[in-house]
Each structure stands twice: as C-alpha cells, then as structure tokens.
Amino acid sequence: MRVAAIDCGTNSVRLLIADVERDELGEIERRMEIVRLGQGVDRTGRLAPEALERTFAAMRGYQELIDRHGATATRVVATSATRDAVNRQEFVDGVRKIFGVEPEVVTGAEEAELSFTGATRGLVHLSPETEVPQGPLPPYLVVDIGGGSTEFVVGSEHAQAALSVDIGCVRLTERHLRDAGDPPSAPALEAVVADIEAALDGVEAEVPVRQAHTLVGLAGSVTTVAGIALDLPAYDSARIHHSRISAEQVHDVTRRLLAMTHSERAALPVMHPGRVDVIGTGALILDRIVRRFAFSQVVVSEHDILDGIAWSLAG
C-alpha cells in the first residue's frame, strides 16, 4: 500500500511517501520545507496571510509528488500553530482544496502518540549489532521538540502516558529573543530557561518520565544538535539517525550555539537556513530536559510523527 503522510507543524511542513508492507516502511520520498506557519501566532493568535501562502505553496508541490508516485491514501496532520489560531478555518479550507482531504488538527496527546509510534517502531527491533550498540532499553521517553510545542511520551511497545506543553523553538524565540541581541543576552536566556523549567514541572507531575531508561529525541532541533556534535561536513540523515549523543555533547553544543551570532550559526555546515534563528532555543529545550531528568545520552531519531502518520494509514 503506497501512502502519503503530511505533517504541518509550526515551523515546517513535511511529506513522506512510502510503501507499507508488514513491519516495513519503504521510503519513496521524504521532503521538508521551512514555512514558519506559526509566525506571530503566540503574539497575535492568528495565522499570518504570508505564512499561510508559504505553507500552501509547499503543499501544492507535495500534491504534485503524490500524484506522480500514485499514493492511494493521504493523511494531513496539523499541530500546535493551527490549534492556537482563531482563523484556523482558513488553513483547513486551503488544505482541503489542495489535497482533497480534511486536515486533522490533532490534540497534543494524539500528536505525541503518533510521534512515539514513528520513533520507536524501528527501535524495538534493533539488536546489539545494529546502529545503537547494546540496544536502547525500554521504557522510552520520546521527546518531540517542535516549533510551537514539545511532546513528551513514555512507553515501551505502546505509549503509556503523554503530554504536550507549549514550549517550542519558534514560540520561545519569538517570546523572549526577538530583541535580545546577537548573541542573545543572559537575562533573555534566563527567561527562556524559566519558561522551560515551568513546563517541565508540569511534565514531571503528569508523565512518569523518571521511569524511562532511554531518551529518544525527535525533530529538527535535535537532529541539528546531533549533526553539530558529530562534526558532520554536511547534514547526513543516515549518520544522524539512531546516533547517540552524550549529555556532555548536548551541553557543549548548546553553549556554543547560544554564544554564536546569527551569521556564525548560519555558517555551520549542517544548519538548515530556516533553523538559524531558532536553533539556540531548540537546543536549550533539549539541554534542560537532559539535565532535569539526568539522562546520560539521547538516541536521535529521524523517524517521528511523519512515520507515525504513515503507519496509521496502514491500519
């Protein structure tokens, strides 16, 4: 069965076209475009017209690929920015016109469930001889750091508890670092940390994070931190997927990113241009999670909610 999964987040819109057969996803196309749909949502409560048009333009290109590859089922999932926006019906109508299906503005718990499935379905089959030496041990804490929110989910083969909190790299950057200098000032970064720690208080109260043996990190902030830690000459998803980044490496990369100017971050070989202004905040979210819950490392996954959406289409 050939399926098309679309994940429309606060910062990016992504496409996966894959053949689903038994326990395998055969990837045909995987695309990502930074569209910054959540531009200004935290401040205005509305999706900006230019952000909607950027998103729709990317989606029209994706529909051309879906037609070309003959996918027979499509699912569009939209996350934090569209949950928050008062004009989200404009987004819904535009998506329906492009793909012919209703976009699903999922709850934070649904988003976390899809992310967990996408991230861990491959992990449970890994043996000591594969990419992750000695195998990652369940239960897992899967953390999906998005643009507007971060999802936390704990489970082994299936998700057992999940929570979505409104800390994301775009949201916190716009809230605290818009006019904070280059690199950002210490007081501005302290304000970001305060928001992160307050959110982690809520996570710890509702999700049994300390039961988890393995931290699995998802999405662009985490994979970019991994690419920097691995000192890659260019972004290489095959090298990044299932890599293990130590807590010390996370702390080091975060310190470096927060001390860099915009132009210095842009010059990093693994850096996507659309992440340059938000990567410091994304790294800081990961850093505080590692510190708070005393993980020695993070297992980095290139498979996330997009793969979970694809699996969901197979039934």
Side-chain angles (χ1 to χ4, degrees):
M1 180 180 182
R2 182 160 293 181
V3 302
I6 295 98
D7 168 40
C8 187
T10 303
N11 197 43
S12 63
V13 59
R14 301 181 302 143
L15 167 73
L16 172 62
I17 300 174
D19 290 332
V20 183
E21 186 174 355
R22 296 181 183 175
D23 282 337
E24 297 290 333
L25 272 185
E27 183 177 315
I28 307 299
E29 289 270 6
R30 191 183 292 263
R31 299 290 184 93
M32 185 272 289
E33 291 197 36
I34 301 287
V35 295
R36 199 62 60 83
L37 178 62
Q39 170 193 328
V41 168
D42 190 56
R43 177 172 46 85
T44 68
R46 300 183 63 84
L47 297 168
E50 61 272 25
L52 283 168
E53 183 46 44
R54 288 194 300 268
T55 303
F56 294 154
M59 288 179 167
R60 285 189 285 268
Y62 288 170
Q63 183 56 44
E64 291 177 5
L65 289 171
I66 291 169
D67 290 339
R68 185 186 310 163
H69 290 295
T72 57
T74 298
R75 185 180 184 190
V76 182
V77 167
T79 52
S80 180
T82 48
R83 282 201 302 270
D84 300 338
V86 296
N87 63 331
R88 69 181 190 178
Q89 192 60 43
E90 294 178 42
F91 170 79
V92 171
D93 292 343
V95 172
R96 187 192 303 113
K97 181 178 179 181
I98 294 166
F99 293 115
V101 297
E102 190 85 7
E104 300 172 51
V105 183
V106 297
T107 66
E110 290 169 327
E111 185 177 350
E113 176 74 25
L114 289 167
S115 294
F116 183 85
T117 299
T120 63
R121 191 139 178 178
L123 283 180
V124 296
H125 299 300
L126 290 177
S127 68
E129 290 73 37
T130 59
E131 292 95 330
V132 184
Q134 299 161 359
L137 297 175
Y140 310 112
L141 170 61
V142 175
V143 174
D144 187 343
I145 301 174
S149 63
T150 296
E151 282 62 56
F152 295 78
V153 55
V154 172
S156 294
E157 291 189 17
H158 301 285
Q160 296 165 343
L163 185 68
S164 177
V165 291
D166 283 341
I167 52 170
C169 59
V170 175
R171 186 186 297 274
L172 294 186
T173 298
E174 289 193 347
R175 183 180 295 172
H176 296 297
L177 304 187
R178 182 187 295 273
D179 300 307
D182 184 28
S185 67
L189 292 175
E190 288 168 6
V192 175
V193 170
D195 277 5
I196 296 169
E197 291 295 334
L200 295 183
D201 288 342
V203 171
E204 190 161 16
E206 296 200 33
V207 179
V209 288
R210 296 192 185 273
Q211 294 180 12
H213 293 305
T214 302
L215 172 63
V216 183
L218 314 183
S221 290
V222 177
T223 58
T224 302
V225 167
I228 297 169
L230 294 170
D231 199 23
L232 298 180
Y235 193 93
D236 185 341
S237 61
R239 290 277 305 279
I240 290 169
H241 185 50
H242 288 166
S243 63
R244 298 200 297 182
I245 306 303
S246 71
E248 291 75 17
Q249 288 174 301
V250 172
H251 304 329
D252 176 64
V253 171
T254 301
R255 282 192 298 268
R256 287 162 54 195
L257 286 169
L258 294 176
M260 288 178 178
T261 64
H262 184 279
S263 60
E264 289 170 337
R265 294 192 303 274
L268 294 170
V270 300
M271 187 67 63
H272 188 288
R275 298 201 188 282
V276 175
D277 57 345
V278 298
I279 185 58
T281 305
L284 189 54
I285 294 169
L286 177 63
D287 180 81
R288 301 311 297 189
I289 292 168
V290 169
R291 291 179 185 275
R292 175 69 169 262
F293 303 123
F295 285 103
S296 63
Q297 63 183 6
V298 54
V299 177
V300 181
S301 179
E302 287 273 1
H303 294 177
D304 52 24
I305 187 172
L306 196 58
D307 302 78
I309 297 165
W311 282 116
S312 74
L313 285 164

